[in-house]
Amino acid sequence: MNKNTKHAEFDVLIVGGGDVGAAIARTLGRHPLRVGLVEASSDIGDGTSKANTAILHTGFDATPGTLESKLVASGYHLLRDYAAEAGIPMEPLGALLVAWDQDQLDALPDLAQKAARNGYTETRHVDRDELYRREPHLGPGALGALEIPGEGIICPWTTPFAFAVEALDYGVDLLLDTEVRGVRLESDGSTLVETNNGALRTRYLVNAAGLRSDEIDRMLGHDDFTVTPRRGELIVFDKFARQLVNHILLPVPTSRGKGVLISPTVFGNVMLGPTAEDLDDKTKTGSSEAGIETLLVKGRRLMPELLQEEVTTIYAGLRAATEHGDYQLRLHTEQRYVCVGGIRSTGLTSALAIGEHVRDLLGGAGLELGEPVPARIPHMPTIGEASLRPYQRPDLIAEDPEYGTMVCHCERVSRGEIRDALASPLPARTLEGLRRRTRATLGRCQGFYCGAEVRHLLAESTTAGEGR
């Protein structure tokens, strides 16, 4: 059994440790329940969640009346408040939905009405002159835009870590490196979950397995949806490009998604993407020549000057697209089972609302929740550029010089930050996990100069941990 596991029997077992699974765990963890969170990877947020486009969505362009529109609208406010309290990097930049031809321009009033039906009434038409005053580096030919002032950017990595750290504080069991291989309903009404680390028994099961949510669903005899991995490739430009972009620049959305956008990141870079390519392989997260060429072609129209900037990195993520236009979130009362499938890129924004929705479904299905304890929201390390980083705080460095000792010079990551990430309640166990907690090796040199020292510190921590 995983070394983090205290129990093999649970009141609720959640499969999937991404944004949504971690949010459900922290919500249920506040109640007097034995809650387990199962994740096949060695870390939280290591699947679809880590490659999210990191936009805090208002839900203005969701399909009115869908569960997604309801949960995104609610989750937006929940996550915005949570991020402010937890210190999760977040910047309310606002977005401009840019029209590049007359048809797109004519569609903007309908999109404003759609936003109003979703409860978002703050949109405003921006004419061509104002658009170029506010975004002077935009490519030629734009005719106008719809302003969505509530849209923002957020850290896609700190968010699930915060949820999981909070869940651990409430006593939730975290089972990493634990892959579900079978699910069986028992005669006593419980569910037996077979994993590579042994069997787990639970009274109620929640399936938040992302790309594998359809597979888990079929283990319980359902055939309601199929996940088709949709690859989204992105180009991340150097921090010198940040001065070119003032808002999130969105295309007029299509049925396949929000399209290729240009957005600053909370780390000071600029991002171009994503593409949208349906695949048949749920592990194919590498970038492609065709995908990058598509982004370059679109980028030349959207903002030609951006393509003159240095590229820091290229990455791709897979979204859990299905044949349906809404979240596949439903309760199977007789099986004491909640399926949370088909959660696409809006899942980061809606995660806390999904957590509350799942809690209410379980309560309605007979789970005695009990009174919740007061929330204990953790304060997360500062890795965003909008707040003072440790290297910028003389007071912190005076107390602990390790915060002034640089390891990663590109991203200004100190030895103290790396030490903290390796000794936190949810410590980094891999280089990838350490990157997402600190930004070390993610700068313009991509670890060329600091990689050896970062790996050494990680290895020292791992060795020390094994000796305890």
Side-chain angles (χ1 to χ4, degrees), residues 236-239 242 263-271 312 411:
V236 179
F237 291 89
D238 189 82
K239 299 177 193 298
R242 180 62 182 85
S263 176
T265 74
V266 293
F267 311 124
N269 302 91
V270 175
M271 181 176 62
T312 296
E411 293 298 309

Side-chain angles (χ1 to χ4, degrees), residues 219-290:
M219 291 178 186
L220 286 152
H222 305 289
D223 191 21
D224 297 325
F225 64 96
T226 298
V227 171
T228 299
R230 182 166 294 162
R231 179 166 61 183
E233 300 176 63
L234 301 105
I235 300 174
V236 179
F237 291 89
D238 189 82
K239 299 177 193 298
F240 286 122
R242 180 62 182 85
Q243 62 183 338
L244 298 176
V245 188
N246 299 316
H247 304 79
I248 304 165
L249 300 177
L250 301 172
V252 175
T254 69
S255 60
R256 292 184 60 80
K258 298 181 184 299
V260 173
L261 56 87
I262 293 176
S263 176
T265 74
V266 293
F267 311 124
N269 302 91
V270 175
M271 181 176 62
L272 171 67
T275 56
E277 178 189 5
D278 288 343
L279 305 174
D280 56 9
D281 184 349
K282 295 181 180 180
T283 65
K284 198 172 183 179
T285 57
S287 57
S288 68
E289 183 178 349

